[in-house]
Amino acid sequence: MTTTANKGTLEFINVVKDYGTGDPAVKSISFRVEDGQLVTLLGPSGCGKTTTLRMIAGLELPTAGQILLGGRDVTTESAAARNVSLVFQSYALFPHLTVMENVCYGPTVQGMKKPDAIERANAVLKLIGLTGFESRLPSELSGGQQQRVAIARALVLEPAVLLFDEPLSNLDTKLRRHVREEIRELQQRLGITCVYVTHDREEAMAVSDQIIVMEQGRIAEQGTPGALFFSPATAFVADFLSEANVLDIERIEAPDVPSGQCRVRLADCVFDVEAPVRAEARRLALRPDIFRIDRDVSAAGWVRFPVTISKSAFIGKGVEAEVTLSDGKNLFVFLAGERQPLVAGQAIALVFSPSDARLIV
Amino acid sequence: MNRLSRDARFRWTALFLIAGGLALVPWYALQDSFFDFRWLGRLGGKDQAPALLQIASWGKVWLIALPVLLLAVMGLYARPIEPHRAAVGAMRSWGRSVALLGGVGALYVLGQGFAIGPRGYATDWLSALLPPIAGGQFGMGAGALLVAFGFTLVCADGIASMGYFRGDRFVATALLSVTALVVLFVFFPVVRVLWEGLLGQDRALSFAAFWERFSQPKLWALSWACLWGGSGCGVAWNTLWLALLCAAGTTVLGLLLALLVVRTQFPGKRLIRLVTLLPIITPPFVVGIALIMLFGRAGIINELLEWAFGIPPTRWIYGLPGVLLAQLFAFTPVAFLVLIGVVEGVSPTLEEASQSLHANRWQTFRHVTLPLMAPGLANAFLVGFIESIADFGNPILLGGNFGVMSTEIYFAIVGAQLDQGKAGVYSLILLAFALFAFWLQRRATARKNFVTVSGKGDTGLASPLPDGVRRTAFAVGLPWLALTVVLYGMCLFGAFVKIWGRDHTFTIEHFVKAFSIDYGTHGLLFTGAAWHSLGNTLLFSLAAAPLTAIVGILSAFLIARTRFAGQHLFEFLTLLSFAIPGTVIGVAYIFAFNVPPIEITGTGLIIVLCFVFRNLPVGVRGGIAAFAQLDRSLDEASTTLGAGGATTFRRVLMPLLKPAIIGALIYGFVRSMTTVSAIIFLVSGNTELATTYIIGRVINGDYGVAIAYSATLIMIMVLAIVLVQWLVGARRLGRRSAAAPGLGSAVAVGG
Ligand SMILES: Nc1ncnc2c1ncn2[C@@H]1O[C@H](COP(=O)(O)OP(=O)(O)O)[C@@H](O)[C@H]1O
Ligand SMILES: [Mg+2]
């Protein structure tokens, strides 16, 4: 762990948050967000993402543990004093203030002169593409515009860390992709540290430098989107990020296994996969999209095994199917590019590359 | 940096308040007004000296602890802890010391006031325990107030520094201040009055004395006569029976009227809504006087009966029937206001569901609609009950030999007997009735708080009422409406005739008598008999209204938006005075505040305080309802943008709460203008109020002036309401789409 800390470096050390309900909402988590990165907290509803975010903002104080911002301990510092801004899920725009007044609110309550505040607000509104809307009330804006005002209001303070709580959840589907691209683009242009909360894995992978996957108040895994998607270490992350099939397998010790590899048996097939990070791993994660129907075209080293189709549906970009292995285990597979659903009861053979399989705990 | 300067400002303010309070302003209460500032020239005097001088020259050595505590606080402030650099826990323990010093300081101011009275130590065990002192002291004044508040700020600073309330000094200050005020001006007087009931002749604790007062047959005699208010029935039973009848009657009437407005095609809906607002701005006695004019011995109905059928007039109106009738007219609108929301809230979807399950209209009403309204009905019943036992004006006017607790308390205090112990015990009984009713209501509705308004998708049509219910609603509601209009009409009539009942020539002499203005050598002379009391009433009500609003909204903020240990107790304390009948509050205030350390009997201050804390529950409830509609993320957004609690309150919450604040302002003003039971003991010659003046006229049988005055008061209140709405309500509210919470709910829970 490096010890240098820039303005936007954020660190959690063994932070616990107990609301007094008996089961802590956040159970001793530690992580580090590097300056200028966008880190996403990802996890199912109720896993403690919002609580973590609110502790960064200072809206909740941790029950135990330490929070460092820019290398400084801010654990007990009040939200008003922390150099952190939050974009609320509901935007929380002040309904009685115009767009300009909303954006100027932060600077003026911190003692900036009105003309200076307006100048800064104008710059931010321009940056975010809201010039011309200054005198509107929030109720006179569309959802997407309100979202931008909320971001402008947070940005104008030039915070060390900018926080987003599910910023896309109140937008319609078409707008979501657009806004998420905008947020990412803005973040990279300004080089600002961001912590972003979502429960949508696609959204998380699209915007993040790093993803922290949370499960029931704990951090399951942290890594880049690619690393977590392709080589998860836990069943939870494998399932949550890629809906991978998680199967119990048998590990076979043999002298001829190449170093850095493990030999495993699944149904009737025996093959070598990359050695797991954690030695105790006894399960195999197989993403649905790694399978192909065997039409005698499989490349060398691919694993081939017979299955029976139990259900199948055509979903446009391919075909989904539930299949049964020879030992009775079920698999969910996605066959890209297939144009017809498979017939239930049919027996076929599937192939996949063992390099796409992961041993996990 | 910003944060440090903000903290530093707060600390400097606290220190200046304490230092100034000790060195610059009179410590004790002045004989004449503080605000004529004549004390400025006599700061050396025994009565006017500030605390430091009192210690040095006038032997008040026990005050020395306060400058010492101030120095200790300054010592701590001279070495503030830098939160970023301090060791873990250092900030906390520093904050704890600050909080402790502040708390000790504030409590010491209060404690020495209670411990040392005009003749030295207030109790024997204190003189036995502590070193002897020479002389004593009288009520505390401006200096003590400043010092106590300053130490409260220090305590709040310490608590916030410890990390409570997210480190927000404003919240900590608000909590400590409101708690101190409520304890001092609600809890303490009530305990004081109950305590009085336990003291014997020698002012020692005596259960025998209590039992003797409690067990009188005058209170508890029970006979069949109780049912119709005949003689020989105990006062306690009278009160209880009257309250039950009144509560049941107002609830049924209120429900029928609400059904009439919400569920029928009745054309006079607007009239009903208008008429139901009248009693809120009607001074007490008006309804009673009108009833006398109508049904009294010389009343129109009796005259008619005698003229037509030769039936001799009787005095039936004086007693249980008259009081009950007057209360029904006065309090049904309150029940209506509570119930109209309840009836509107019954989801039509549920009724449609019932009908689709083949229930007929009556079955639907009986098994779905009524049970859904049960909590609302219980609430209306409770309000009717409390209003009835707290009512003073109607029983004293119409009661005759039918005594109730509130009038008995009055006579125990003002009568020849001046029996404080009796007043104390009676107050205790009345309070017990009120709390029992609250408890019953809580129990009855404990598991029945249905949410009937589900928000979206409730588009069904309300099912028509069963015929029987609809007919009853019309048959009862219409006469009620007609009678109310007649009653108010009679009043107006009475204000403009010479002697009501005897000489019905038109005159404005009553208005002239009350409000004449002459033009003399010194300019305008307000020679009318009522100007003095009207001026007082306006002054005190105008002073009380903003205070009620501020304390109420602050309390609501603390209840709705913060978390702290003892929050439920805090909420109970702020709402307590709703359950305390006005007469009890009045008695409590004289017992509590006619002796040092808080010696304010006879001043305008005691009346203003009484107004504020009596009307507080309405402000609090209105505020809580309004906060419930404001998303919490608005406060949090403001906080993360760097605003402290005070700024958030002023720039975000206040503008958004404007409707609730206006509601509290109007309600505080109107209730103060019309209240009588609580202040009847508190007025002095200098502080006579409109309502007490009117009582005087009524007791003299001078109805003309009384009614003319009442009509004037109603006009003033209507004007004030319109003015406030116009002044505060214009800007921007129109453009906002969010529904404005506030006045409606504030009045509805008012009772
Ligand atoms: N103010 C609170 N009081 C008590 N429990 C809370 C509070 N806020 C959140 N929780 C609980 O903490 C857990 C985590 O909540 P949250 O952080 O909001 O989850 P997420 O944002 O991941 O959906 C949940 O079980 C929730 O019920
Ligand atoms: Mg959340």
Side-chain angles (χ1 to χ4, degrees):
Chain A
M1 191 185 284
T2 54
T3 46
T4 54
N6 292 323
K7 175 184 168 213
T9 310
L10 173 76
E11 206 170 336
F12 264 48
I13 304 170
N14 299 330
V15 171
V16 180
K17 177 67 192 183
D18 190 344
Y19 285 111
T21 49
D23 184 32
V26 167
K27 299 162 190 137
S28 188
I29 61 173
S30 304
F31 63 84
R32 185 178 158 101
V33 176
E34 296 299 340
D35 189 41
Q37 286 211 325
L38 193 155
V39 174
T40 296
L41 299 174
L42 175 68
S45 175
C47 70
K49 309 179 295 289
T50 298
T51 304
T52 307
L53 201 69
R54 289 170 60 85
M55 286 194 286
I56 302 175
L59 293 170
E60 305 284 355
L61 295 187
T63 315
Q66 253 187 319
I67 300 174
L68 305 183
L69 180 61
R72 222 185 59 192
D73 187 343
V74 296
T75 313
T76 57
E77 194 171 83
S78 76
R82 254 179 235 194
N83 191 13
V84 168
S85 288
L86 172 58
V87 177
F88 286 82
Q89 189 169 4
S90 58
Y91 312 147
L93 297 178
F94 305 128
H96 59 300
L97 302 181
T98 61
V99 169
M100 178 53 85
E101 288 166 332
N102 262 288
V103 178
C104 283
Y105 183 88
T108 52
V109 298
Q110 299 205 348
M112 192 186 282
K113 295 248 167 29
K114 199 75 185 278
D116 300 343
I118 290 180
E119 195 178 313
R120 263 182 59 181
N122 271 325
V124 177
L125 286 174
K126 187 160 168 234
L127 181 75
I128 213 123
L130 273 176
T131 316
F133 292 88
E134 292 87 351
S135 55
R136 298 248 192 126
L137 287 177
S139 58
E140 298 162 343
L141 296 176
S142 74
Q145 288 165 337
Q146 291 181 14
Q147 163 80 278
R148 290 189 203 188
V149 178
I151 296 176
R153 188 177 67 175
L155 267 182
V156 74
L157 290 171
E158 294 172 3
V161 179
L162 185 58
L163 309 174
F164 291 93
D165 191 0
E166 312 223 0
L168 310 184
S169 60
N170 286 329
L171 301 175
D172 53 51
T173 338
K174 258 180 96 174
L175 212 51
R176 277 187 198 170
R177 182 190 295 260
H178 181 64
V179 172
R180 116 191 152 197
E181 280 163 7
E182 272 189 355
I183 290 178
R184 178 61 166 163
E185 199 255 339
L186 193 70
Q187 183 264 334
Q188 290 187 325
R189 184 141 50 103
L190 300 179
I192 190 171
T193 314
C194 285
V195 179
Y196 187 107
V197 160
T198 181
H199 62 260
D200 184 317
R201 58 168 188 252
E202 200 178 305
E203 187 183 328
M205 288 190 278
V207 299
S208 315
D209 292 310
Q210 290 267 316
I211 296 179
I212 295 173
V213 185
M214 295 187 64
E215 178 194 11
Q216 292 181 9
R218 288 203 178 79
I219 292 182
E221 273 181 71
Q222 171 172 5
T224 63
L228 290 184
F229 186 80
F230 291 115
S231 20
T234 59
F236 179 78
V237 173
D239 178 43
F240 194 77
L241 239 61
S242 57
E243 286 181 65
N245 299 284
V246 176
L247 305 171
D248 291 323
I249 43 91
E250 190 186 331
R251 268 168 74 165
I252 300 167
E253 301 299 335
D256 60 333
V257 180
S259 77
Q261 300 265 311
C262 280
R263 182 152 301 170
V264 299
R265 186 206 306 279
L266 171 65
D268 299 327
C269 312
V270 174
F271 50 93
D272 293 344
V273 298
E274 200 175 303
V277 189
R278 298 203 222 164
E280 75 272 25
R282 281 289 182 283
R283 289 190 282 181
L284 197 64
L286 296 169
R287 295 200 318 277
D289 58 307
I290 63 174
F291 297 97
R292 301 271 179 282
I293 295 181
D294 177 33
R295 296 201 171 96
D296 298 323
V297 291
S298 54
W302 282 41
V303 182
R304 180 178 186 284
F305 57 103
V307 296
T308 317
I309 311 290
S310 38
K311 271 187 227 162
S312 178
F314 172 66
I315 59 160
K317 54 191 174 183
V319 162
E320 288 177 353
E322 242 182 74
V323 300
T324 312
L325 296 182
S326 58
D327 62 354
K329 288 198 178 82
N330 284 320
L331 270 186
F332 174 74
V333 301
F334 171 71
L335 304 165
E338 293 293 323
R339 289 162 170 261
Q340 293 284 329
L342 301 168
V343 183
Q346 191 184 357
I348 57 169
L350 292 176
V351 292
F352 69 89
S353 162
S355 61
D356 286 333
R358 289 291 147 203
L359 265 178
I360 56 172
V361 288
Chain B
M1 181 215 121
N2 209 317
R3 165 193 154 86
L4 276 185
S5 70
R6 197 183 286 163
D7 292 1
R9 262 208 311 274
F10 188 92
R11 286 170 193 161
W12 278 115
T13 311
L15 293 181
F16 272 123
L17 281 175
I18 303 175
L22 286 174
L24 298 178
V25 252
W27 178 259
Y28 293 110
L30 302 175
Q31 286 302 316
D32 38 0
S33 167
F34 177 85
F35 292 102
D36 62 10
F37 292 104
R38 271 182 302 187
W39 51 268
L40 275 172
R42 304 184 210 143
L43 273 178
K46 184 177 189 330
D47 295 335
Q48 289 87 0
L52 292 182
L53 217 59
Q54 294 280 6
I55 302 169
S57 315
W58 302 104
K60 308 288 196 284
V61 284
W62 54 88
L63 296 180
I64 195 100
L66 295 169
V68 170
L69 280 167
L70 174 62
L71 288 179
V73 172
M74 285 163 76
L76 279 178
Y77 278 177
R79 287 179 290 113
I81 304 279
E82 291 290 333
H84 315 316
R85 282 173 229 139
V88 181
M91 188 73 200
R92 229 184 144 76
S93 70
W94 183 84
R96 191 177 301 120
S97 315
V98 172
L100 210 66
L101 280 182
V104 167
L107 289 178
Y108 188 85
V109 172
L110 214 57
Q112 58 87 23
F114 278 103
I116 301 174
R119 288 185 302 275
Y121 287 117
T123 60
D124 293 338
W125 58 266
L126 278 173
S127 3
L129 220 64
L130 297 172
I133 46 165
Q137 57 183 354
F138 289 98
M140 297 192 288
L145 184 67
L146 287 186
V147 173
F149 185 60
F151 276 119
T152 308
L153 291 187
V154 172
C155 184
D157 179 35
I159 290 175
S161 298
M162 285 169 74
Y164 292 110
F165 305 112
R166 294 196 205 127
D168 198 314
R169 279 157 189 75
F170 169 76
V171 178
T173 310
L175 178 62
L176 289 182
S177 309
V178 174
T179 307
L181 284 174
V182 172
V183 166
L184 219 49
F185 293 107
V186 179
F187 189 68
F188 165 62
V190 170
V191 170
R192 183 70 189 67
V193 75
L194 303 182
W195 179 245
E196 198 67 36
L198 296 173
L199 294 181
Q201 293 292 344
D202 52 353
R203 307 207 49 77
L205 200 60
S206 154
F207 187 73
F210 167 79
W211 183 246
E212 190 198 317
R213 294 173 189 133
F214 182 83
S215 59
Q216 289 169 23
K218 185 169 187 319
L219 281 178
W220 301 107
L222 195 55
S223 70
W224 287 112
C226 289
L227 288 182
W228 57 89
S231 59
C233 182
V235 177
W237 295 122
N238 280 348
T239 309
L240 211 51
W241 180 232
L242 173 68
L244 287 175
L245 288 176
C246 172
T250 53
T251 306
V252 171
L253 277 171
L255 177 63
L256 289 176
L257 287 172
L259 289 173
L260 206 59
V261 168
V262 180
R263 290 294 181 89
T264 68
Q265 261 69 53
F266 177 59
K269 292 179 184 184
R270 290 180 64 91
L271 183 67
I272 296 191
R273 288 199 184 245
L274 209 67
V275 166
T276 51
L277 288 178
L278 268 179
I280 295 168
I281 55 169
T282 303
F285 309 116
V286 170
V287 173
I289 294 173
L291 279 177
I292 292 177
M293 290 176 168
L294 209 55
F295 298 112
R297 242 173 88 83
I300 293 182
I301 303 288
N302 279 329
E303 302 254 296
L304 260 175
L305 287 177
E306 189 173 15
W307 173 76
F309 308 106
I311 301 174
T314 64
R315 297 178 52 84
W316 67 269
I317 192 80
Y318 295 100
L320 176 66
V323 180
L324 180 61
L325 206 57
Q327 289 189 344
L328 287 181
F329 276 104
F331 305 140
T332 294
V334 182
F336 169 79
L337 284 179
V338 173
L339 287 170
I340 189 147
V342 175
V343 175
E344 277 171 346
V346 172
S347 161
T349 316
L350 294 175
E351 292 183 330
E352 284 182 341
S354 161
Q355 293 191 319
S356 73
L357 297 170
H358 303 293
N360 64 28
R361 282 186 199 173
W362 170 247
Q363 287 166 326
T364 300
F365 184 78
R366 168 75 189 74
H367 296 291
V368 176
T369 317
L370 264 186
L372 281 176
M373 293 191 294
L377 292 171
N379 199 12
F381 191 91
L382 171 75
V383 171
F385 187 91
I386 302 266
E387 289 277 7
S388 171
I389 63 173
D391 185 21
F392 174 77
N394 291 311
I396 200 144
L397 187 63
L398 293 164
N401 293 328
F402 177 77
V404 293
M405 300 297 288
S406 62
T407 51
E408 290 302 317
I409 293 175
Y410 175 70
F411 290 125
I413 293 289
V414 301
Q417 23 179 344
L418 184 59
D419 189 341
Q420 301 199 347
K422 186 165 148 190
V425 172
Y426 283 20
S427 299
L428 174 70
I429 294 170
L430 207 48
L431 189 59
F433 285 171
L435 290 179
F436 179 68
F438 255 97
W439 177 77
L440 265 188
Q441 183 249 9
R442 279 276 160 117
R443 241 188 67 127
T445 57
R447 293 194 307 110
K448 298 204 186 118
N449 250 329
F450 319 114
V451 176
T452 49
V453 188
S454 55
K456 286 175 191 156
D458 256 359
T459 48
L461 277 179
S463 71
L465 291 176
D467 285 339
V469 177
R470 195 175 38 112
R471 284 201 205 103
T472 319
F474 275 102
V476 176
L478 291 185
W480 182 88
L481 211 56
L483 247 169
T484 306
V485 174
V486 168
L487 282 180
Y488 278 88
M490 295 283 309
C491 268
L492 220 54
F493 178 70
F496 287 101
V497 298
K498 274 216 161 106
I499 301 174
W500 192 87
R502 260 178 274 164
D503 182 356
H504 290 180
T505 31
F506 176 82
T507 176
I508 57 163
E509 72 177 39
H510 304 306
F511 287 93
V512 172
K513 197 167 158 194
F515 299 110
S516 62
I517 300 175
D518 283 345
Y519 199 75
T521 45
H522 301 290
L524 286 182
L525 283 178
F526 292 86
T527 47
W531 282 118
H532 175 61
S533 59
L534 184 63
N536 279 338
T537 306
L538 283 175
L539 179 68
F540 298 153
S541 304
L542 286 177
L547 288 175
T548 312
I550 291 170
V551 182
I553 300 287
L554 267 185
S555 310
F557 169 72
L558 293 169
I559 293 166
R561 285 298 210 259
T562 62
R563 291 280 157 268
F564 52 91
Q567 194 162 25
H568 287 293
L569 186 67
F570 177 82
E571 185 175 355
F572 174 78
L573 276 180
T574 57
L575 296 178
L576 176 65
S577 65
F578 180 70
I580 305 174
T583 339
V584 175
I585 288 255
V587 175
Y589 266 50
I590 25 175
F591 285 177
F593 302 127
N594 67 348
V595 287
I598 306 174
E599 199 179 355
I600 49 175
T601 320
T603 65
L605 184 59
I606 195 172
I607 294 175
V608 172
L609 286 171
C610 183
F611 284 162
V612 170
F613 289 97
R614 208 168 127 60
N615 296 331
L616 183 62
V618 178
V620 175
R621 285 226 216 166
I624 292 178
F627 271 113
Q629 309 200 5
L630 280 190
D631 195 37
R632 206 184 259 269
S633 63
L634 289 172
D635 320 14
E636 292 176 348
S638 172
T639 311
T640 56
L641 291 171
T647 311
T648 302
F649 200 78
R650 189 167 49 82
R651 291 192 46 179
V652 175
L653 295 177
M654 291 274 277
L656 293 174
L657 288 171
K658 213 189 301 179
I661 295 171
I662 295 174
L665 274 176
I666 290 180
Y667 189 85
F669 177 72
V670 164
R671 278 287 276 214
S672 305
M673 293 279 287
T674 57
T675 203
V676 63
S677 57
I679 46 87
I680 192 153
F681 308 117
L682 303 180
V683 294
S684 63
N686 277 332
T687 58
E688 182 169 49
L689 295 178
T691 46
T692 49
Y693 179 84
I694 294 176
I695 298 188
R697 300 281 69 71
V698 170
I699 289 176
N700 287 344
D702 194 356
Y703 293 164
V705 171
I707 291 174
Y709 200 165
S710 300
T712 312
L713 284 180
I714 293 183
M715 286 314 297
I716 291 174
M717 286 184 271
V718 169
L719 277 181
I721 293 175
V722 172
L723 197 71
V724 169
Q725 297 274 26
W726 180 72
L727 273 183
V728 206
R731 212 181 129 256
R732 262 199 203 166
L733 283 178
R735 275 167 85 194
R736 234 176 64 221
S737 53
L743 186 57
S745 51
V747 171
V749 293

